[in-house]
Amino acid sequence: MSNYHIKTVEEYHQAYRRSVQDPESFWGEIARENFVWQKPWDTVLNWDFTKPEVSWFEGAQLNITENCIDRHLPTRGDKTAILFEPNDPSEAAQKITYREMYARVCQFANVLRDMEVQKGDRVCIYLPMIPELAISVLACARIGAIHSVVFAGFSATALSTRINDCDCKMVITSDGSFRGNKTIDLKGIVDEALENCDGVEKVLVAKRVHSEVTMKEGRDHWLQPLLDVASEDCIPEVMNAEDPLFILYTSGSTGMPKGMVHSTAGYMVYTAYTFKNVFQYEEEDIYWCTADIGWITGHSYIVYGPLANGATTVIFEGVPTYPDWGRFWQIVEKHKITQFYTAPTAIRALAKQDIGFVEKYDLSSLKVLGTVGEPINEEAWHWYDDNIGKGNSPIVDTWWQTETGGIMISPIPFVTPTIPTFATLPLPGIQPCLMDESGNELTATRASGRLCIKFPWPAMARTIWGNHQRYKNTYFSIFDNKYFTGDGALRDNTGNYRITGRVDDVIIVSGHNLGTAPIEDAVDEHPAVAESAIVGFPHDVKGNALYGYVILKEMGESRDHTNLRKEINQLITERIGPIAKLDKIQFTSGLPKTRSGKIMRRILRKIAAGDSENLGDISTLLNPEVVADIKKNVI
Ligand code: 7RM
């Protein structure tokens, strides 16, 4: 019997052992028994990390949309596939059944074919969180076009860079988008971007905000009239297992964003398997991931993973603050959400608000809570556990990356234990290891080092679009024959992993390696502190010293900041030791964040080092205005 759904801790250990001892039979069985294939594979896995080359299910043929839609029709035709919750709470939610998804995806796919989009062509999708976003992603997959979704908060410059890098011939967008009480002119941004993109032949425009937009003759087409006359059936393109499914850009610490390429079969098998287990999804559940489909979290755990399991997945168009800070909890109550998956940055922001925003709503439908994107600090973990889960919804702290395609290290709720701030155990098929700086594997169970993965897993990215050498250099050249994650981690004496953050966040102070995350945890424990970020700056004696940027819950003028600085350093001394005390503490109203909620430490590092004139590109920040404020008040 296949290990597809893990229900007990014994099953977890058994599945894990098998996945290591005989990965091909482990994944072969899961793939064979839980998906539909047009042709079976010849070999489950071929790999060579020195090239690097990895292929899963070589020789197999399939279409991922048949697995996400068609095969559910006999049993789940009337089940809601997508539950759309609009920005405006007074606008009705929409339930799109699997049968309706089939028709809408087929119609959209036929429109793409009519516009001469062919297998292997790249299509850029720049849409807000509306059903058309998921539908256009699936329509591309239906005809074998490679989608490249660009988060619709990115600027025209960021958009044109991404369109040109992979040579998209089409852009799918909308007239505009709603976000809270704002309307954003998406079509205007696309027009500006396309001034620098000669390869784009066609633009399809969905209507969402009904604003006036300019349509370029011959290039731009309204989507709806084309859909209205398209057939509701569309024969899926036959895809080889290793054909690229999508490109998704992720920004590195330097240089051009990297277009991570994910392939079809392995990605499908792995995202479906991990979705089922990490969220313990059951047939009647209503699952909600608050990420945007513009990020990998949305690709894998709003669209592909849930739909491959025949799940009901929520698409929320709005923001957590509109019409007020109770919106998330209002939605949980309204749709009786069973699994809720969000980011630490959102949890911290929500935890800062009056608890009345939470208490107003019935959250008793919740069974599993999830977090992803950053290390979650202890205080935020407990707030989430106590106030949202009421102590009886396990928190899955899921560690993974755009590059890994799916969740790698995570508890399995009700099966393996959760530990605050720990992502805990590797999922079946994942072989993590810790390395020291000289490239030796740390073999003691209790250890702390750089996190690598020793063995391929089905959803790993296969290359960087147009730059395989960079893929090799970035991920496979630091440590021999291993995938390097860029993260640091510690492993406790029972094999649980705690991700401490990017290794470039490790600061060496007087010869001591200090990770920023545990120090931030200590600072955040202070009752007056809402959030903090710590960076190093050059110091004559210590080599580096620590600089803390601290957001207070109330930024009142009257607070005695001298005392507060002492109290914060006292806490650090107690929790970590005097070596980790902060030389400088700057109180600030905000921290520069990426659109997906990660603190941009690169900018904070430069400001702390007194190099605030050369901050590089800050246009993709969520809140570029805080940068000026931080620069002004630098210590
Ligand atoms: C899914 C996603 C990847 C980076 C990764 C880590 C950090 C993600 C966790 C985490 C600690 C977690 N993809 N990260 N999840 N750190 N605990 N549970 O976020 O490509 O955008 O980012 O995010 O540093 O390398 S991503």
Side-chain angles (χ1 to χ4, degrees), residues 146 237 321 415 521 588:
I146 302 171
E237 191 75 34
T321 50
V415 172
D521 274 353
T588 171

Side-chain angles (χ1 to χ4, degrees), residues 249-251 295-297 301 341 344 371-376 396-404 406-407 409 421-423 483 485-488 498-503 505 594 596 598:
Y249 285 87
T250 183
S251 39
W295 311 122
I296 190 68
T297 306
Y301 299 109
Y341 189 28
T371 152
V372 59
E374 277 188 300
I376 182 165
V396 290
D397 178 350
T398 64
W399 174 82
W400 59 296
Q401 308 176 298
T402 305
E403 296 86 338
T404 69
I407 297 169
I409 304 183
T421 77
F422 279 72
Y483 168 81
T485 65
D487 283 323
R498 179 187 207 263
I499 313 301
T500 45
R502 308 291 306 172
V503 290
D505 295 340
T594 66
S596 59
K598 296 185 210 297

Side-chain angles (χ1 to χ4, degrees), residues 23 100 339 516 567 603 627:
E100 289 161 345
Q339 289 91 353
T516 53
E567 288 163 20
I603 290 171
V627 174

Side-chain angles (χ1 to χ4, degrees), residues 49-228:
F49 273 180
T50 63
K51 289 196 162 70
E53 262 173 32
V54 172
S55 77
W56 284 91
F57 310 111
E58 187 91 44
Q61 293 185 322
L62 74 157
N63 188 289
I64 196 169
T65 68
E66 286 192 297
N67 283 277
C68 289
I69 305 172
D70 306 35
R71 65 156 160 163
H72 302 312
L73 297 181
T75 50
R76 302 185 176 107
D78 296 318
K79 179 176 175 176
T80 301
I82 288 177
L83 205 174
F84 173 60
E85 172 66 27
N87 176 63
D88 179 350
S90 66
E91 187 183 324
Q94 289 172 34
K95 292 183 174 171
I96 305 172
T97 65
Y98 274 92
R99 205 182 316 287
E100 289 161 345
M101 277 300 279
Y102 174 82
R104 290 180 67 173
V105 168
C106 285
Q107 285 179 313
F108 207 130
N110 285 323
V111 168
L112 297 180
R113 274 196 181 141
D114 286 349
M115 296 242 151
E116 278 158 32
V117 179
Q118 285 162 9
K119 179 178 174 179
D121 286 346
R122 276 78 60 207
V123 171
C124 174
I125 302 176
Y126 186 72
L127 280 172
M129 281 286 282
I130 55 177
E132 285 78 359
L133 174 47
I135 291 167
S136 59
V137 159
L138 293 164
C140 287
R142 186 106 182 149
I143 64 161
I146 302 171
H147 55 77
S148 168
V149 182
V150 176
F151 172 59
F154 274 151
S155 65
T157 318
L159 177 60
S160 62
T161 308
R162 287 158 177 77
I163 290 173
N164 289 333
D165 182 70
C166 66
D167 210 359
C168 296
K169 69 191 270 193
M170 174 186 270
V171 178
I172 302 170
T173 188
S174 65
D175 50 357
S177 69
F178 295 124
R179 274 181 83 75
N181 48 27
K182 289 202 286 265
T183 304
I184 296 152
D185 176 19
L186 287 192
K187 179 62 166 61
I189 297 171
V190 170
D191 289 342
E192 195 188 326
L194 293 192
E195 284 172 20
N196 303 307
C197 304
D198 294 337
V200 174
E201 292 159 18
K202 299 279 180 207
V203 177
L204 294 179
V205 189
K207 267 204 171 123
R208 174 56 182 148
V209 302
H210 298 271
S211 56
E212 286 271 325
V213 297
T214 43
M215 298 290 278
K216 189 168 167 184
E217 182 73 39
R219 184 192 74 180
D220 301 352
H221 302 267
W222 289 109
L223 178 62
Q224 196 57 50
L226 299 172
L227 291 174
D228 288 341

Side-chain angles (χ1 to χ4, degrees), residues 531-593:
E531 193 172 4
S532 62
I534 286 157
V535 297
F537 68 97
H539 187 281
D540 291 345
V541 180
K542 306 180 192 180
N544 293 291
L546 300 179
Y547 192 115
Y549 296 88
V550 175
I551 307 179
L552 298 177
K553 286 185 179 142
E554 282 164 54
M555 291 290 290
E557 294 296 312
S558 61
R559 274 214 70 109
D560 182 347
H561 284 174
T562 320
N563 267 346
L564 205 50
R565 288 192 171 88
K566 279 195 192 133
E567 288 163 20
I568 287 173
N569 271 327
Q570 184 56 35
L571 262 171
I572 294 175
T573 307
E574 284 163 20
R575 294 290 176 273
I576 295 151
I579 182 73
K581 285 208 291 196
L582 308 179
D583 273 38
K584 297 182 181 179
I585 299 180
Q586 177 179 350
F587 295 102
T588 171
S589 60
L591 296 168
K593 295 250 171 104

